[in-house]
Each structure stands twice: as C-alpha cells, then as structure tokens.
Amino acid sequence: MASRLTPAHSGLPPLKVLIAAPRGFCAGVDRAIMIVERALEKFGAPVYVRHEIVHNRFVVDGLRAKGAVFVEELDEVPDGRPVVFSAHGVPKVVPANAQARGLDYLDATCPLVSKVHRQAERQVQAGRHILFIGHANHPEVIGTFGQVTEGSMTLIETEADAETFTPAPGQQLSFLTQTTLSVDDTAAIVDALTRRFPDIVAPKGEDICYATSNRQAAAKAIAARAEAVLVIGAPNSSNSLRLVEVAERLGTRARLIQTADEIDFDWLGDIATLGITAGASAPEILVRGVIEKLAEHFAVTEEEVLTTTEDIAFKLPRGLEAA
Ligand code: 0CJ
Ligand code: F3S
C-alpha cells in the first residue's frame, strides 16, 4: 500500500520510495542484542563484548551507552567481568580460554552459524576435507575455521578458486558456506565444485541463512522497479554488501549508506523511483531516518514491496530468558 509522506502541494519533485520487505533485523541479530541487554541487567555494567555484537555502529553505540565495552580479543577482558561473543561466532579456543580464566561468558553466536560449526566438526570426524565458501578475514569465517584442526578446511572465495583447487590424492571432500553470501554467486561456485567433484558432500540443508536469501530476493524486487537503490548497512556487514551487489547485477545503481547523513543527493539526481532496503544488522530507525531526510528534498510516496514474511525467533541462552 502506498502512503504519502510530504504534502502533495509542497512544490518538491515527486519521489516514489519502494521499501523492501523483509529488510533489517533478523532473528539472530534480535537475539544477539537481547543477550547483551539481558547480560547488562543481570551482571550490571560493564559487560564486555568480543567484536561488534553485530556489524552496525548505531547498535554498538547504543549498547555502549548502556554499559557494554567492545573489545576485539578476550585478553582485553579483565578478570571477573562477563563477556559476550558476537553473532558471527568465535573459534573454539575463545570459549575454552574464557573457561580457563573462569570468566562468565555468553555466546551470542547465531544458532544458524552454530549449525554450520557442528556440520564442520562432523565432516572432519567423517574424514572429509572441507571446502568452505566464504570471504577471507570475515569473523564468521575465522570462527568456523576455528572449529576444526588446522589444515582440514580450505577457503573458496570465487569460482576461479573452485576451478583450481586440487585435492590431495584420495581426499574425500565436502563443502559448507558462510551464512551471508550472495545466493547467486554461491550457486555458481557450488556448480563448479559439483561438476569437478561429483562425490563432494553437500551441507544438510542450505547454509546461506533464511534472512540473507529473503533480503536478497526482496532487494531484487525493488531493484527491478527502481532507478536506484539505497542499502542501509555498514561497510563491514557482509549481508548488507551483498544487497548492493544484487541491485547492481540487475543493472540498477546502488549505494550502501550507514545513516541518512550519507545520502548523496547529487548522486540521486532527479530520480522518480528509489528502492530502499536494510541489511540484517541495520535497525528500522535508520530506515525511517533515511525516508524522513528524503522527504525534505522530495514529495515522497512510500510503497512497501513484500516478497515474503518471516516469523522466526531464537531462544535466549539459559539463565537469560527472564531478567
Ligand atoms: O554473521 C552473521 C551471523 C550475521 C550477523 C548479522 O549481520 P552483520 O552485518 O553483523 O554480519 P555479516 O557481516 O556477517 O553480514
Ligand atoms: Fe543468523 Fe542469518 Fe541473521 S546467520 S544472525 S539469521 S543474517
């Protein structure tokens, strides 16, 4: 349904804003933020968080204001204070070290990332070498590699990597993927792997998560109808970056912005139809801020473009269910 934001006789040029749905927070992000909030209630400030709880400055600053302290490594957490591990997951050595130090730790790893971790362990136990499709240096990739012994997993970033990987003689293979990848790029990489290695063992179910694939499908729907797309998300947010790519692949120019302050009105030009979406770590308040800023320059009419609905929620860890 379309709704008008600026009075019709404002004298501003008209702009139709197509808002993707689903967009923004997923169940894993909701859970991760809730874990930090409940930990602050339970333990009091400061609660330490290893890595940005999710890749969004607005979320991180909001939790910092409530008493969360963000660090990159466990050794920055003082003895006696609780620590939360981010939604992206951590190598096994991290909870092991926390335990050895007697720290209270809370694991905000998304359950869908933990599922990939368990599959990685099982594949290695079954004697298979894992080809892990993902982006180098991303914390989720570092966390998943850290579930298995060194040398039992090889990173595959591109179709070219899939074409050139050479297994050791007699090596049994399986593949797994990062949860926030491009659905289309991953399908092409998997095609190359299954063509070259017909016996390769695929993951049980899809590793790319429901939120990632739903947001990409919704981004395609707005990009197909818009002259340009704005994606609200952080530059280090893998799933948000993929939404920009999805729009561009359809031939629609697209930009990632963190907040309304980053809207480039020269880049928008005299556009009549603009698509807006948000990555899984970007709060809805930032989407509203962007639309309100646009309404200072255009006579904005909003239309939500719904491609599917989501009703997934994850349980909190034991001990944090009720504050
Ligand atoms: O890795 C995840 C479990 C996704 C967390 C939510 O998104 P974000 O932006 O914090 O992380 P990605 O960079 O992985 O998309
Ligand atoms: Fe989990 Fe996917 Fe969100 S892996 S944190 S549901 S983007």
Side-chain angles (χ1 to χ4, degrees), residues 88-268:
H88 317 94
V90 289
K92 266 191 168 171
V93 67
V94 173
N97 286 346
Q99 195 147 16
R101 283 183 55 194
L103 297 177
D104 276 315
Y105 67 87
L106 297 153
D107 190 358
T109 303
C110 177
L112 300 180
V113 174
S114 302
K115 198 181 91 185
V116 179
H117 289 181
R118 290 195 301 273
Q119 292 197 69
E121 279 184 305
R122 277 202 293 270
Q123 292 304 333
V124 170
Q125 274 161 17
R128 298 187 188 105
H129 184 79
I130 300 169
L131 301 183
F132 189 76
I133 307 170
H135 298 291
N137 302 321
H138 188 280
E140 182 183 334
V141 176
I142 294 168
T144 305
F145 267 69
Q147 302 305 308
V148 293
T149 47
E150 219 180 315
S152 46
M153 220 186 246
T154 300
L155 184 64
I156 302 288
E157 287 194 87
T158 60
E159 260 184 274
D161 290 348
E163 293 294 354
T164 51
F165 170 78
T166 311
Q171 199 170 42
Q172 303 290 303
L173 298 176
S174 72
F175 73 87
L176 297 171
T177 88
Q178 195 176 336
T179 56
T180 53
L181 298 182
S182 154
V183 171
D184 296 336
D185 287 354
T186 306
I189 294 173
V190 169
D191 281 352
L193 291 177
T194 49
R195 174 176 47 74
R196 290 191 65 214
F197 310 112
D199 296 334
I200 193 167
V201 174
K204 281 203 185 75
E206 178 64 87
D207 285 343
I208 297 178
C209 75
Y210 79 96
T212 295
S213 41
N214 288 348
R215 278 151 195 66
Q216 286 174 24
K220 283 183 184 176
I222 54 165
R225 292 176 52 197
E227 292 158 69
V229 168
L230 289 176
V231 176
I232 299 153
N236 59 341
S237 168
S238 168
N239 79 86
S240 305
L241 292 169
R242 305 291 81 81
L243 298 177
V244 176
E245 287 172 4
V246 156
E248 287 176 338
R249 297 268 172 91
L250 287 179
T252 307
R253 59 201 171 95
R255 277 215 177 157
L256 185 75
I257 56 168
Q258 302 204 63
T259 65
D261 295 340
E262 293 182 6
I263 302 172
D264 180 344
F265 285 94
D266 290 335
W267 179 80
L268 283 181

Side-chain angles (χ1 to χ4, degrees), residues 34-64:
M34 185 74 82
I35 288 173
V36 180
E37 287 173 344
R38 292 274 171 95
L40 282 162
E41 287 167 19
K42 182 171 171 174
F43 298 100
V47 165
Y48 284 75
V49 184
R50 185 190 176 280
H51 193 67
E52 290 186 329
I53 187 73
V54 298
H55 291 147
N56 189 274
R57 202 170 60 197
F58 185 88
V59 170
V60 166
D61 288 347
L63 292 171
R64 192 182 283 123

